[in-house]
Amino acid sequence: MHPLDEALQMQQQDPGLYTAATHPGYANAVGPFGGITAAQLLQAALLHPQRLGEPISQTVHFAAPVNEGEFVINAQPVRTNRSTQHWLIQASQDGHMVAMATAVFAKRRDTWSGVDATFPHNLPDPQSVAPMQWQKRPEFTNRYDLRYFDGVIPHELSGQERPHGQSSLWVRDEPPRPLDFAALASICDVFFPRIMIRRQRWVMIGTITLTSYFHADSALLTQVGSDYVLGVARAQVYRDGYFDQSAEVWSAKGDLLATTHQMVYFKD
Amino acid sequence: MHPLDEALQMQQQDPGLYTAATHPGYANAVGPFGGITAAQLLQAALLHPQRLGEPISQTVHFAAPVNEGEFVINAQPVRTNRSTQHWLIQASQDGHMVAMATAVFAKRRDTWSGVDATFPHNLPDPQSVAPMQWQKRPEFTNRYDLRYFDGVIPHELSGQERPHGQSSLWVRDEPPRPLDFAALASICDVFFPRIMIRRQRWVMIGTITLTSYFHADSALLTQVGSDYVLGVARAQVYRDGYFDQSAEVWSAKGDLLATTHQMVYFKD
C-alpha cells in the first residue's frame, strides 16, 4: 500500500467520527507534516456518508503540536445547501484540540470557464531537473519527488539574501500515485517556507493556517494521474513574526488544479 | 455614530455570545454585504475578554442567506498557545447556522521584516480618480468611497470580454473613519467580482468562503487613519461554477496591510 493511503486509513466510530493516526513516513522536524494533516482532515469529510459533491476549499488551523500516535477526527457538515456544503472538521488528541479545519464541498456545473493566471512557459522537462538536496531533510520530504528548478535552497546556505522568495518545482508523490483530492490537499503544503528561500538561511517556522482552493474536479485529477505537477510558490510580506505564502499547482498540460495560501510563524 | 460602528454594536449575553443585527446601510443585492458579516464576526472575537493579541487571519464561510434583523454570534477561543490563539466563530439566525468563521489572533514580536510583493508605482492621486458609477448599485457600496483607476466596470456594459479581471482602486469608508481591524476585514471583501470585470457583463455570483491575512498591527492601522488605501484585485481561474479572487490592500505609503482570497460561486 502507498504510504499516503496508509496515512489516510481511519476507523469509523460514527458517521464523521474517525480514529486516525500519525504516519512515521510523513514526520516533519517537529510533529507531522502539515500537508498530511490537511489530507487526513479532508479525507474524513470525503468518507462521510452525507458528503455532497467534491471539495472546492479547505482551511486548516494547526492549533497545537500533534504527538505521534492516534488522534480523533470529527468531520460534520454544518450546512448543506442545494449545491454547496460547509464543513467543520476537528481533530483532538487526549481530549485536546490539535487541529481544526473548515471546508466547502460543491456540486459543480458546466459553465463558461477561463483562466487569468499565466501558465509558465519554457518549462524544463522534470527528468532534466535534479531532485532537491538539502542539509536537514525532514522524513516527509522523502515521500515527494521534489524537483526545484527556480528558487531552490542550495545544499550549502550562503546567508546572502535574495530579492524575493519565489520558487518553481515539479513535484509528485514518491512513489508515484494517482492524484486525488487528499494527495492534492497535501501537495498544497509541500512548498518550502519562503523565508528560507529569501533569506538563504535556516529559520524556525511553523504554518499556523492554510487555505487551499481546489479548481479541479475528480475527472481532471484522474487525467493528471501520477504525472508531475508544477508548483509555483511566492511570499508577499514578512512582518513581525508572520509571513504569508501563496502557490499555484498546475498540471503539466496547463490546467490550474489548486491555489493555496498560508500564514506562517517565523523566528528571525 | 459611523454606520460601521452602528453595524458593530452587539449585546453581550455571555463572554463570546452576542446578539448582533444586520444594518440596512450595508445591504447587498441579496442579504448583507459579506464584508460587514466578516467585520461583525471578527468584532465578536475582538470583544471577547480572553482575546490574545491581534488578528492575523480570518476565514469566513457564508453558509446561508442572512435575513434582515437580529442574529446570534458565538465566538470562542478553541486553543490558546503562548503567542497564538485559534478561534471558532459561529453565527445563527432562528437556530440555523448562517455563517461560520475561524480566526488566528497573535502577539507579534519585532523580527526581521521584508516584502516580496511590489507596491504599484505611478499611482494616480485619489482625488484625481472619479468615484465608481454603475448601473445597479447595491446599498453597501454607498458606505465606501470606491475610486477604480484600472479594471472598472463601466456604466454601460459592453459584454466584450477582457483578457483578465484585474482591478486597482483607492478605497476608504464613506464617511471617512479611522482604519481598524473590523474596517480592514470588511474592505477585504469590497472588490467587485472579478468575473464581471473579465466578462464585462452582469453575472450572478456569491462569495462562498473568504480568507484574509492581516499583516498590519493596530499601530500601523492607526498611522493609516482615515486615508485611502490601495486595493489591487485579480482572479486566477474560473471553472465550472466557481472562481477564486485575491487582493492586496496597501497603505498609501506602501505598507502591505492585508492580503485576501476568496472562492466565489457564479452562474454564467
Side-chain angles (χ1 to χ4, degrees):
Chain A
M1 190 181 284
H2 193 282
L4 179 57
D5 293 301
E6 289 175 356
L8 294 175
Q9 296 258 301
M10 43 192 84
Q11 287 183 295
Q12 183 179 314
Q13 312 301 334
D14 272 314
L17 193 66
Y18 304 91
T19 304
T22 59
H23 188 292
Y26 288 92
N28 203 344
V30 178
F33 164 50
I36 201 68
T37 304
Q40 291 170 318
L41 298 180
L42 191 65
Q43 184 72 1
L46 285 161
L47 291 172
H48 198 294
Q50 286 165 36
R51 168 171 69 94
L52 177 85
E54 298 185 336
I56 65 163
S57 87
Q58 183 189 29
T59 294
V60 184
H61 284 248
F62 301 99
V66 180
N67 294 319
E68 203 179 315
E70 290 191 349
F71 59 96
V72 173
I73 305 178
N74 189 359
Q76 299 299 336
V78 292
R79 176 84 192 198
T80 301
N81 300 312
R82 203 167 45 180
S83 67
T84 57
Q85 188 175 51
H86 296 264
W87 288 81
L88 177 61
I89 309 165
Q90 292 165 293
S92 58
Q93 205 169 31
D94 305 323
H96 299 286
M97 170 181 293
V98 289
M100 168 173 69
T102 58
V104 179
F105 282 59
K107 281 190 181 168
R108 289 178 176 273
R109 296 161 299 104
D110 265 344
T111 60
W112 171 85
S113 294
V115 62
D116 279 9
T118 306
F119 183 62
H121 44 79
N122 297 327
L123 290 167
D125 188 90
Q127 301 300 342
S128 72
V129 181
M132 189 173 179
Q133 301 205 341
W134 39 22
Q135 294 167 307
K136 303 170 187 174
R137 182 160 194 165
E139 181 56 27
F140 84 88
T141 63
N142 296 305
R143 303 289 85 70
Y144 292 95
D145 183 350
L146 297 160
R147 296 176 181 240
Y148 279 85
F149 54 91
D150 181 44
V152 66
I153 286 269
H155 187 63
E156 300 283 340
L157 286 164
S158 67
Q160 288 204 311
E161 196 175 320
R162 291 171 47 125
H164 61 74
Q166 185 166 325
S167 292
S168 300
L169 76 161
W170 291 109
V171 54
R172 65 178 184 188
D173 287 300
E174 179 59 44
R177 174 186 180 278
L179 194 62
D180 57 15
F181 284 107
L184 184 57
S186 187
I187 283 174
C188 281
D189 193 35
V190 91
F191 307 102
F192 218 74
R194 299 299 98 197
I195 194 168
M196 299 194 205
I197 310 296
R198 166 129 183 197
R199 299 279 280 162
Q200 292 287 303
R201 65 195 204 88
W202 290 97
V203 179
M204 201 176 105
I205 64 98
T207 298
I208 305 294
T209 178
L210 164 74
T211 289
S212 299
Y213 297 143
F214 307 115
H215 306 293
D217 58 15
S218 54
L220 178 53
L221 297 183
T222 300
Q223 280 177 37
V224 174
S226 56
D227 278 358
Y228 287 92
V229 295
L230 173 71
V232 181
R234 73 190 63 78
Q236 283 162 123
V237 63
Y238 319 81
R239 190 185 177 97
D240 291 348
Y242 298 88
F243 69 91
D244 67 336
Q245 71 181 51
S246 292
E248 294 92 57
V249 181
W250 300 85
S251 75
K253 289 181 180 161
D255 287 300
L256 188 46
L257 305 174
T259 46
T260 178
H261 313 281
Q262 58 180 265
M263 273 291 259
V264 186
Y265 164 87
F266 72 93
K267 198 169 175 177
D268 192 14
Chain B
M1 191 182 282
H2 193 282
L4 180 57
D5 293 301
E6 288 175 358
L8 295 175
Q9 295 258 302
M10 43 191 84
Q11 288 184 293
Q12 183 179 313
Q13 312 301 334
D14 273 313
L17 193 66
Y18 304 90
T19 304
T22 60
H23 187 292
Y26 288 92
N28 204 343
V30 178
F33 164 50
I36 201 69
T37 304
Q40 290 170 318
L41 298 180
L42 191 66
Q43 185 72 1
L46 285 161
L47 291 172
H48 197 293
Q50 285 164 36
R51 167 171 70 95
L52 177 86
E54 298 184 336
I56 64 163
S57 87
Q58 182 188 29
T59 294
V60 184
H61 284 249
F62 300 99
V66 181
N67 295 318
E68 203 179 314
E70 290 192 347
F71 59 96
V72 173
I73 305 178
N74 189 358
Q76 300 298 336
V78 291
R79 176 84 192 196
T80 302
N81 299 312
R82 204 169 42 182
S83 66
T84 58
Q85 187 176 50
H86 296 264
W87 289 80
L88 177 61
I89 308 165
Q90 292 167 295
S92 59
Q93 205 169 30
D94 304 324
H96 298 286
M97 171 181 292
V98 290
M100 170 173 67
T102 58
V104 179
F105 281 58
K107 281 189 183 170
R108 289 178 177 272
R109 296 161 300 103
D110 264 345
T111 61
W112 171 85
S113 293
V115 61
D116 280 9
T118 306
F119 183 63
H121 44 78
N122 296 328
L123 291 167
D125 187 89
Q127 301 301 342
S128 71
V129 181
M132 189 171 178
Q133 301 207 341
W134 38 23
Q135 293 168 306
K136 303 170 186 174
R137 180 158 196 167
E139 180 56 28
F140 84 88
T141 63
N142 296 303
R143 303 289 84 71
Y144 292 96
D145 183 350
L146 298 158
R147 296 178 181 238
Y148 279 85
F149 53 90
D150 182 43
V152 66
I153 286 268
H155 187 63
E156 300 284 339
L157 286 164
S158 67
Q160 288 206 312
E161 196 174 320
R162 290 170 47 125
H164 60 73
Q166 185 166 325
S167 292
S168 301
L169 76 161
W170 290 110
V171 54
R172 66 178 183 188
D173 286 301
E174 178 59 43
R177 175 186 178 280
L179 193 63
D180 57 15
F181 284 108
L184 183 59
S186 187
I187 283 175
C188 280
D189 193 35
V190 91
F191 308 101
F192 218 76
R194 299 297 97 197
I195 194 168
M196 298 194 206
I197 310 296
R198 165 128 182 197
R199 299 280 279 161
Q200 293 286 302
R201 64 194 204 89
W202 290 97
V203 179
M204 201 177 106
I205 64 98
T207 298
I208 305 296
T209 177
L210 164 75
T211 289
S212 299
Y213 297 142
F214 307 115
H215 306 293
D217 58 14
S218 53
L220 178 53
L221 297 183
T222 301
Q223 280 176 38
V224 174
S226 55
D227 278 358
Y228 287 93
V229 296
L230 173 72
V232 181
R234 73 190 64 78
Q236 283 162 122
V237 63
Y238 320 81
R239 190 186 177 98
D240 291 349
Y242 298 89
F243 70 91
D244 68 336
Q245 70 181 52
S246 291
E248 295 91 57
V249 180
W250 301 84
S251 76
K253 289 181 180 161
D255 287 302
L256 188 46
L257 305 174
T259 48
T260 178
H261 313 282
Q262 58 180 267
M263 274 292 260
V264 185
Y265 164 88
F266 72 93
K267 198 168 175 179
D268 192 13

